Amino acid sequence: MADRKPEENGVSGKPKQLMMADFDPPKPPKRNKYAFACAMLASMTSILLGYDIGVMSGAQIYIKKDFNCTDVQIEVLVGILNVYSLVGSAAAGKTSDMIGRRYTIVLAGAIFFIGAILMGFATNYAFLMVGRFVAGIGVGYALMIAPVYTAEVSPASARGFLTSFPEVFINAGILLGYVSNFAFSKLPLHLGWRFMLGIGAIPSIFLAFGVLGMPESPRWLVMQGRLGDAKIVLDKTSDSLEESKLRLADIKEAAGIPEDCDDDIVQVPKRTADEAIWKELLLHPTPTVRHILMCGVGIHFFQQASGIDAVVLYSTKIFEKAGIKRDTPKLLATIAVGFVKTIFILVATFFLDKVGRRPLLLSSVAGMIVSLMGLAFGLTIIEHSDQKIMWAVALCIATVLTYVAFFSIGMGPITWVYSSEIFPLRLRAQGCSIGVAMNRVVSGVISMTFLSLTDAITIGGAFFLFTGIAIVAFVFFYTLFPETHGRNLEEVEQLFGTFFRWRSRSVELKMKREAEMATKKAQE
């Protein structure tokens, strides 16, 4: 044995020769397919809202003719679903804590199914409003729970990519709604719009059954004391076993479970009562919670206040004002809007975890400002002209398309990504429900007043107003929003609390992390 060569003992007498590959940067982890599948299934629930938005843009034309509705009745019918969805989003936080994220998604699909059936069989305006109410509750549930579940199941390396899926499926739903409008527009008046609305029940059936194959959120499992089940899910949804252990340790710390506790089932310390959570969020927030709440609610406000639902829901009206009078060309133009919106949201998903949240968000809003200004200018020129001005018509169509494209590369997906990852675990469900409530209130106000607003200040004036709001949004995001890219959910909280001085805090955390890594390497 003593005669064995050094190489056979695993020790070489020569120093190891470094290869060029040793100097390459570490390869990023491969995309976790299990987490990808879970996020996709959960986010597909958002297709319900997208379909409703898209289909109502065309169905309203035929509902108005069939029921002899006024413009006010139509704008209330179109926008009221957003207000009704407040009921669902307000209840979803508590529901998801009680029965789990997964069954809450199933519940959302079931409620929307009932609402779609009621709308499809509506015999008058009042009956149609009942269907809108039920469908709105389902939409509220879906909007709140899909991004929360996706954020909680995603590894840090792909959280932006996966958490943007709800917006992807909202856009896919909008496109399907536009296609449905065109497909059923040739049916008799009393059947066409009913098929447009009622067919939305079909996706909810498949979604409800598909979601049953998903695992429960690991954070919810830990909150229930089911550490063994949570560990199994984390092992499958993390990029490595080491990351799985770190994620579990972070969640245990946030839930108040001792770090050295490794039992499969544990007694979880009694969680803060709901009243205390709401007090911490709204009445006595710390500077950190106040900063998080400002950002989480603010991004939802500006997403809708900058006019996206006005463009998507009333695209047929905008194209009519731009000079396209016949129904078929208008519906085809809306399909182009849905197609562009969907393509660019897919582009955004692949850059969220490469470029980061801030660069995409700021670029998106800047592009929206220019597009809104061009659209407002084109519509104003057309409105004050006695003859058809082709360059102004082309400008309006082009700026509608560029507006939805810029919205989709940043403001659309990042709203859901950012708001779902900045709230700490103890406040996440309630914090996200506040953000969704703001989103739906503003969307409802915009969609229920747009026609009246255009009558009051002209359609060009309405889009000049949206331009001003988008400029304020750009300043708000630039000054108050820290970059959260690449940080785990528990670490994100440390970036907040300094408001306008968040950049210095980010530098401190970076230096601290580098020091910890250097210490760890030295110990090894």
Side-chain angles (χ1 to χ4, degrees):
M1 296 293 290
D3 295 335
R4 182 175 293 177
K5 294 180 181 180
E7 288 83 344
E8 293 175 354
N9 287 321
V11 179
S12 174
K14 298 179 181 179
K16 180 184 176 182
Q17 290 185 343
L18 295 176
M19 307 295 290
M20 286 299 294
D22 294 325
F23 295 97
D24 290 341
K27 293 181 180 180
K30 292 182 178 179
R31 189 80 68 191
N32 188 301
K33 293 179 180 179
Y34 189 78
F36 179 92
C38 293
M40 178 168 283
L41 279 171
S43 302
M44 284 177 71
T45 315
S46 303
I47 209 169
L48 303 177
L49 172 63
Y51 183 83
D52 186 86
I53 292 172
V55 81
M56 282 305 295
S57 71
Q60 61 179 282
I61 299 172
Y62 305 102
I63 293 171
K64 185 176 182 178
K65 292 176 182 177
D66 197 13
F67 290 159
N68 296 314
C69 298
T70 64
D71 279 350
V72 172
Q73 286 179 309
I74 287 298
E75 63 183 359
V76 169
L77 177 69
V78 169
I80 199 70
L81 181 133
N82 297 303
V83 178
Y84 291 155
S85 68
L86 291 173
V87 179
S89 62
K94 189 168 183 63
T95 304
S96 66
D97 282 346
M98 289 175 60
I99 67 174
R101 309 328 193 199
R102 186 176 60 152
Y103 286 115
T104 303
I105 295 173
V106 175
L107 181 62
I111 295 173
F112 187 86
F113 172 83
I114 296 170
I117 293 294
L118 290 174
M119 289 190 291
F121 285 96
T123 54
N124 53 47
Y125 185 83
F127 195 162
L128 192 55
M129 289 292 280
V130 172
R132 299 292 282 168
F133 174 72
V134 177
I137 294 175
V139 165
Y141 268 97
L143 274 178
M144 184 269 169
I145 197 59
V148 169
Y149 175 89
T150 306
E152 292 183 346
V153 83
S154 304
S157 64
R159 193 174 61 245
F161 173 72
L162 299 180
T163 316
S164 65
F165 278 14
E167 185 67 16
V168 172
F169 284 105
I170 288 176
N171 283 276
I174 290 172
L175 179 57
L176 288 174
Y178 287 154
V179 172
S180 176
N181 287 334
F182 183 75
F184 296 115
S185 62
K186 302 301 181 184
L187 291 177
L189 180 63
H190 68 287
L191 289 178
W193 66 265
R194 287 184 168 86
F195 271 96
M196 294 174 191
L197 298 178
I199 204 102
I202 294 176
S204 61
I205 300 172
F206 295 103
L207 291 175
F209 284 108
V211 168
L212 291 175
M214 294 170 8
E216 186 51 84
S217 156
R219 284 177 172 78
W220 185 82
L221 291 171
V222 170
M223 286 157 51
Q224 305 304 308
R226 295 163 56 182
L227 295 187
D229 292 338
K231 184 179 181 302
I232 292 171
V233 177
L234 286 169
D235 286 347
K236 291 181 178 180
T237 58
S238 298
D239 291 328
S240 65
L241 291 178
E242 183 64 28
E243 184 193 3
S244 173
K245 292 176 182 177
L246 291 173
R247 288 174 69 187
L248 181 60
D250 287 338
I251 298 170
K252 284 162 63 176
E253 181 182 357
I257 299 173
E259 186 178 353
D260 58 354
C261 181
D262 291 321
D263 296 336
D264 286 347
I265 304 292
V266 300
Q267 186 69 33
V268 180
K270 189 176 181 180
R271 297 186 65 227
T272 308
D274 282 349
E275 294 80 5
I277 292 176
W278 289 112
K279 284 181 181 178
E280 184 177 358
L281 273 171
L282 302 176
L283 299 181
H284 308 292
T286 62
T288 297
V289 172
R290 188 180 295 115
H291 188 184
I292 289 172
L293 194 62
M294 285 176 62
C295 292
V297 174
I299 195 168
H300 276 285
F301 171 82
F302 283 114
Q303 186 199 50
Q304 295 299 328
S306 55
I308 185 61
D309 274 4
V311 171
V312 174
L313 281 166
Y314 296 102
S315 53
T316 53
K317 190 78 172 178
I318 295 169
F319 290 133
E320 182 180 324
K321 290 286 186 180
I324 303 174
K325 300 300 182 183
R326 293 191 299 123
D327 286 352
T328 299
K330 281 190 289 188
L331 294 177
L332 286 172
T334 61
I335 291 176
V337 171
F339 181 76
V340 169
K341 204 168 184 295
T342 304
I343 290 297
F344 278 88
I345 188 67
L346 292 174
V347 172
T349 59
F350 291 99
F351 284 95
L352 271 168
D353 288 314
K354 295 178 181 178
V355 178
R357 286 37 161 175
R358 273 179 60 84
L360 279 180
L361 181 61
L362 295 175
S363 301
S364 169
V365 178
M368 288 165 58
I369 292 169
V370 175
S371 299
L372 285 168
M373 194 172 295
L375 179 58
F377 178 72
L379 289 169
T380 302
I381 292 293
I382 291 170
E383 201 162 26
H384 289 81
S385 175
D386 295 330
Q387 56 187 4
K388 196 168 186 178
I389 305 174
M390 290 309 300
W391 68 264
V393 174
L395 177 65
C396 291
I397 296 172
T399 49
V400 166
L401 296 178
T402 57
Y403 172 76
V404 297
F406 277 113
F407 178 88
S408 292
I409 65 168
M411 180 69 100
I414 291 174
T415 296
W416 305 103
V417 173
Y418 205 85
S419 61
S420 65
E421 68 185 1
I422 60 177
F423 285 99
L425 175 63
R426 68 187 183 282
L427 308 175
R428 185 164 298 137
Q430 289 82 356
C432 287
S433 68
I434 294 174
V436 172
M438 174 60 75
N439 189 290
R440 294 299 89 199
V441 166
V442 179
S443 176
V445 170
I446 295 293
S447 53
M448 286 195 294
T449 59
F450 181 71
L451 296 179
S452 301
L453 182 66
T454 59
D455 290 339
I457 63 173
T458 75
I459 193 166
F463 283 104
F464 276 122
L465 176 62
F466 293 142
T467 303
I469 294 172
I471 292 171
V472 176
F474 184 91
V475 175
F476 180 75
F477 298 146
Y478 182 81
T479 55
L480 280 173
F481 275 53
E483 179 61 75
T484 57
H485 166 59
R487 300 178 185 273
N488 63 54
L489 290 177
E490 280 63 41
E491 188 182 12
V492 164
E493 184 180 354
Q494 301 175 47
L495 293 167
F496 292 86
T498 55
F499 298 93
F500 301 105
R501 299 189 301 275
W502 61 266
R503 290 173 179 81
S504 59
R505 178 60 177 159
S506 182
V507 171
E508 289 175 11
L509 288 174
K510 183 179 179 181
M511 293 174 62
K512 181 180 177 182
R513 182 191 288 180
E514 289 174 351
E516 289 175 350
M517 290 177 64
T519 304
K520 186 177 179 180
K521 284 184 178 180
Q523 290 174 347
E524 291 174 351

